[in-house]
């Protein structure tokens, strides 16, 4: 393979089992490609209920996100979802420090696919 292996993981569901599966996929891919000597970049894009993974006030996975973020895994939260949550809850929910905000989670997934990222949805 030439260049880094690039993967986008879409997380648009808020169930803990789905969040755990997305994090497990990221960890397993990290290990798999490291064992084979390949560079890897993973972006977990959270939108809709999936943003719960990155909410500092609700996620049960803060430690796992922090651990994976120290590897080649990046985490994105959808600004559209955050705006809707701010309207519903009266304030933008706090995010984990590893999260970065992108304008649209769905559009970001599309942009990454156009940039050559393989798509994975657990």
């Amino acid at each position: 393979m030439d260049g880094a292996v690039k993967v986008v993981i879409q997380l648009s569901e808020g169930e803990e089992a789905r969040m755990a599966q997305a994090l497990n996929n990221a960890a397993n891919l990290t290990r798999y490609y490291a064992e084979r000597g390949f560079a890897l970049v993973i972006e977990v894009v959270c939108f809709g209920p999936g943003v719960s993974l990155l909410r500092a006030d609700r996620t049960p996975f803060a430690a796992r996100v922090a651990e994976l973020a120290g590897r080649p895994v990046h985490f994105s939260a959808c600004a559209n979802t955050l705006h809707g949550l701010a309207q519903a809850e009266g304030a933008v929910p706090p995010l984990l420090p590893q999260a970065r905000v992108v304008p649209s989670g769905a559009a970001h997934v599309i942009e990454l696919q156009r940039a050559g990222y393989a798509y994975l949805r657990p």
Side-chain angles (χ1 to χ4, degrees):
M1 280 186 218
D2 294 335
V5 176
K6 302 179 292 186
V7 180
V8 56
I9 298 175
Q10 175 183 322
L11 183 59
S12 53
E13 298 174 24
E15 295 82 18
E16 285 188 23
R18 188 72 68 174
M19 290 184 231
Q21 187 176 13
L23 294 171
N24 288 343
N25 288 158
N28 292 339
L29 288 169
T30 299
R31 187 172 39 260
Y32 177 89
Y33 285 105
E35 288 171 355
R36 286 153 182 80
F38 292 109
L40 174 69
V41 177
I42 298 174
E43 183 141 0
V44 180
V45 180
C46 303
F47 57 94
V51 165
S52 295
L53 174 69
L54 302 176
R55 287 187 63 157
D57 61 340
R58 294 197 181 165
T59 186
F61 299 106
R64 289 208 59 207
V65 168
E67 174 190 342
L68 287 168
R71 299 179 187 179
V73 182
H74 307 277
F75 294 89
S76 297
C78 174
N80 291 330
T81 299
L82 295 173
H83 177 73
L85 289 170
Q87 288 182 327
E89 298 177 11
V92 175
L95 297 178
L96 297 174
Q98 296 83 10
R100 72 179 182 116
V101 177
V102 296
S104 167
H108 193 57
V109 168
I110 293 168
E111 290 167 2
L112 291 171
Q113 286 184 285
R114 290 178 49 104
Y117 280 65
Y119 173 80
L120 181 63
R121 182 174 179 198

